[in-house]
Structure formats: C-alpha cells, structure tokens
Amino acid sequence: MTGRIAIVTGGTGALGQSVTMRLLGAGATVWVPYVVPAEHEALRARVGASASLHCAQVDVADEAAFTGFARGVLGAHGRIDILVNGVGGFAGGDLASTPLAEWDRMLNLNLRTAVIGCRGVLPAMAAAGSGRIVNVSSRAVVPPLGGFIGYTVAKAAVITLTQALAREVPRGVTVNAVLPSTMDTPANRQAMPDADRSGWVSPDQVAEVIAYLA
C-alpha cells in the first residue's frame, strides 16, 4: 500500500488502532479523525514516531466537520484511496426497554457516521476512478439477534448501505462490509467478565480482513 492514502474513522478505538497499525505497516499514509483525546494519545504511543500518521480532532457525525477534514486530506495528497468506516457503538435492550434517544444514538454512531464518511470521500474516488470503502457491521445481524435491538438494526442498515452503494459507485470503486463476531477488547472483557472468550475474534484478525479488502 505504499503511496496510498487512507482515512480510518474510529481509528483510535480497539479495532481502529489495529486497522491503523495494519495499514501503516503496509506502507499507507493514514489519517485518523478522533473525538477522545485519551484514545488519540494511546494510538500515538502505540505507533510511535511516524510521519505517515495524521490525526485531527473531528466529530465524524458532523458532516460539515468531516467534509472539511476530507478536503484537508485531498489538499495534502490530491487523493483518497481508502476509507474504513470504523466508528460505532453498542447498547443492550429489547424493543420495550430501549428509549428512542438510544435508537437515535445507535443510528448516529453506526449508520450516520458511515453515510457521512462515504459522502465525504466518494467524489474524489469517483473522479479518480478508483477507491476502496470498507464498512464495519456485525455478525449479530445474520441472523438478527434480539436483546440489543437498536444496535442490531443500525448495523443491519450498514449492510444495506454497503450493498446499495456498491451498485451506485463507478467502476474502479469497491464498497464492502466486514461482520465481526464478538471481539476480544478490554471493553468487552469488562462488560462480559464471565463469558467464554474461546470464540471471540481479535481486533488484529478483523484488521487483516479489512486490509485485504482495502
């Protein structure tokens, strides 16, 4: 991936850091928008000194902010080759116990950010006639599982977005989604301390698949 320019949203999270590290290791230049300063510091500490990593505090759910960020990447390099839509969030609850505010939060974190990300990079990819978009959905939606319905529906929408957008983009641009099962992250270990982790997948394994698609 030497010479290729990538944007990884959610690139300071557990999966995002693995994706960022994988793309950097393959020679790409990676731009990461972030909102949590502590996560940014953790990513910087993990990467170390690198002229190929660029980070900016940007809310990906704010279309004007992300569009400005994407324009900055284009201004610096003249191209955007890869977008990984890795921003997301999880919440439990069935239909009766999930308030509408939580539905809005799940849709904003998981779907809105992916839509904004795609809208921000597609004009440049279409003009170049090449590009790779990888969205992160969830294994929980095939088949859809109950008990965290807001999350499940939002991640299912990401799959539909991916399938529909793949039919809209010009030749040379690809749109794919990955559907990880439960990932072995500190947050999941804390949330499910008694769970059997033998079937959990590591963020590095998911990052490898994302890198393949990119």
Side-chain angles (χ1 to χ4, degrees):
M1 294 186 185
T2 300
R4 299 181 74 183
I5 309 302
I7 295 175
V8 180
T9 74
T12 59
L15 173 59
Q17 286 195 27
S18 290
V19 173
T20 298
M21 294 291 293
R22 178 65 179 78
L23 298 183
L24 286 171
T29 296
V30 182
W31 287 70
V32 176
Y34 71 91
V35 293
V36 182
E39 291 184 355
H40 171 234
E41 292 169 6
L43 173 63
R44 283 289 187 184
R46 184 173 176 183
V47 171
S50 173
S52 298
L53 175 64
H54 305 270
C55 301
Q57 195 160 13
V58 177
D59 182 0
V60 182
D62 181 332
E63 184 167 30
F66 183 79
T67 299
F69 172 79
R71 286 175 180 162
V73 177
L74 280 171
H77 305 285
R79 59 191 292 176
I80 298 173
D81 301 297
I82 299 163
L83 169 68
V84 179
N85 279 313
V87 170
F90 175 84
D94 60 13
L95 182 67
S97 65
T98 303
L100 285 179
E102 192 65 15
W103 279 90
D104 289 341
R105 191 174 78 89
M106 287 295 96
L107 289 167
N108 281 336
L109 282 172
N110 295 291
L111 178 62
R112 178 186 173 90
T113 57
V115 170
I116 288 174
C118 293
R119 283 167 59 92
V121 305
L122 263 176
M125 290 183 175
S130 66
R132 301 287 180 264
I133 295 174
V134 184
N135 297 322
V136 179
S137 181
S138 171
R139 181 66 179 85
V141 306
V142 184
L145 299 178
F148 32 89
I149 192 167
Y151 170 82
T152 302
V153 169
K155 285 299 192 183
V158 172
I159 295 177
T160 302
L161 168 68
T162 303
Q163 293 171 324
L165 187 58
R167 293 181 175 272
E168 292 185 4
V169 294
R171 185 175 180 86
V173 179
T174 65
V175 190
N176 288 283
V178 294
L179 284 67
S181 57
T182 303
M183 284 188 285
D184 193 354
T185 66
N188 282 338
R189 286 188 177 222
Q190 182 177 4
M192 298 173 278
D194 300 323
D196 177 6
R197 297 195 294 269
S198 61
W200 289 13
V201 63
S202 75
D204 287 347
Q205 289 174 303
V206 181
E208 189 66 30
V209 176
I210 291 173
Y212 167 78
L213 293 171

